[in-house]
Amino acid sequence: MKSDQGKGTLVAFLVGAVLASGNPIAVKFSNIELDPLWGATLRFTFAAGLMLIVMAVLRLHFPRGRALVGAVLYGVFNFGLAFACLFYALVELGAGFLQILLAVIPLITLFLVVVQRLERLHIAAVVGAILAFVGVLLMSQVAVDASVPIITILVALAAAFCLAEGAVLVRIFPPEHPVSLNAVGMTVGALVLFVGSLLAGNDMVLPSLGATWLALAYMVVIGSGVVFVLWVYVLKHWEASRAAYNFVLLPPITLFFSNFITGEAVGPELIFGGLVIVAGVYVGALRPNRPSTLSEETLSRSG
């Protein structure tokens, strides 16, 4: 039984990575017609509605007590703050470049789980973080040469931090059904994004282009509905730092699709910087004999 569950989690992990790789490309199409925060608002408003319908069909209950607090915080970080940053960053950044930056999420997650006393720190995590930082610097230099503001790089890294913390929150608070958790989280995230779009003065209009509607349809049904249900499912069975390996797989998949769909150039500096980041993630998070999580007894005392 455990073996079957382990295989199912691995399949969910791999399928989620492949499907999630199309999200940045879809966001690039959305940003052509829609202001960034408004586009994100539409995405998660529709996605939240889809999750609520699925909840009703499956007769699932809403989270309560601490589980509800966790779901709300998950929504603020994983959808509201993270995707406000992501949609903004993708105005300037290519989809493949963004995914390479997001490959540092496993290292950020390792830092967060140690600070929040979910896992122990290992020296390899420090070495990996240094390698990843060097890789980001290399790619940042490419971005500067291409007239992409450094602030855009920092906003993308802020999104990485929020996504990492969102994963940690799922592990900290009582477990909920993936659909229920995402229904609440996406609703909260949509509200945060709506307020952000108001403050930013975004034009709140519905798309008029077929390509924009197609991009939204992908992001709502596949990139949000399917991907985040799989993401929470994986987080229920794997510790946060292990589940975060998902983001290591995204850069090459996204670069492959982006090169064919949008014609995004893949230069040698970008590839080299990405390889250095991936090497850092491997050393810090993917290598064999990586750090184990703290015992349940320790976690219960710390919680």
Side-chain angles (χ1 to χ4, degrees), residues 11 28 31 65 67 78 100 117 133 169 181 201-202 226 229 235 288:
V11 170
K28 291 291 289 184
N31 282 346
N78 198 74
I100 293 177
R117 302 184 65 188
F133 180 69
L169 287 168
L181 179 61
N202 284 183
V226 176
V229 167
L235 282 168

Side-chain angles (χ1 to χ4, degrees), residues 106 109-110 113 118-119 164 167-169 171 231 235 238-245 293:
T109 305
L110 280 172
V113 293
L118 291 178
E119 300 179 30
V168 174
L169 287 168
R171 296 288 298 180
W231 175 237
L235 282 168
W238 286 0
E239 57 270 25
S241 61
R242 185 180 181 190
Y245 305 166
T293 57

Side-chain angles (χ1 to χ4, degrees), residues 107-117 161 164-165 168:
L107 294 169
I108 298 174
T109 305
L110 280 172
F111 170 77
L112 291 174
V113 293
V114 169
V115 170
Q116 295 172 71
R117 302 184 65 188
F161 174 86
E165 179 59 22
V168 174

Side-chain angles (χ1 to χ4, degrees), residues 64-94:
R64 298 178 181 177
R66 289 189 69 249
L68 178 59
V69 174
V72 170
L73 290 175
Y74 168 70
V76 170
F77 278 91
N78 198 74
F79 299 116
L81 298 178
F83 281 89
C85 293
L86 288 174
F87 272 68
Y88 174 84
L90 280 167
V91 172
E92 301 283 351
L93 295 180

Side-chain angles (χ1 to χ4, degrees), residues 201-247:
N202 284 183
D203 290 331
M204 298 181 179
V205 297
L206 290 176
S208 59
L209 300 177
T212 308
W213 278 113
L214 184 61
L216 271 176
Y218 181 89
M219 289 188 288
V220 169
V221 179
I222 305 297
S224 297
V226 176
V227 166
F228 284 107
V229 167
L230 291 174
W231 175 237
V232 173
Y233 175 82
V234 172
L235 282 168
K236 287 180 65 177
H237 299 288
W238 286 0
E239 57 270 25
S241 61
R242 185 180 181 190
Y245 305 166
N246 180 283
F247 292 93

Side-chain angles (χ1 to χ4, degrees), residues 141-209:
Q141 185 59 49
V142 175
V144 171
D145 291 342
S147 300
V148 176
I150 285 295
I151 186 64
T152 304
I153 305 294
L154 296 177
V155 168
L157 292 176
F161 174 86
C162 291
L163 288 169
E165 179 59 22
V168 174
L169 287 168
V170 173
R171 296 288 298 180
I172 289 177
F173 287 89
E176 271 295 326
H177 193 284
V179 173
S180 300
L181 179 61
N182 279 298
V184 174
M186 289 178 186
T187 300
V188 172
L191 289 172
V192 172
L193 290 164
F194 177 71
V195 172
S197 64
L198 279 176
L199 295 176
N202 284 183
D203 290 331
M204 298 181 179
V205 297
L206 290 176
S208 59
L209 300 177

Side-chain angles (χ1 to χ4, degrees), residues 12 67 87 253 264 272 288 299:
F87 272 68
I253 299 172
E264 179 180 350
F272 181 66
L299 289 177

Side-chain angles (χ1 to χ4, degrees), residues 123-134:
I123 187 63
V126 178
V127 175
I130 294 173
L131 283 173
F133 180 69
V134 171

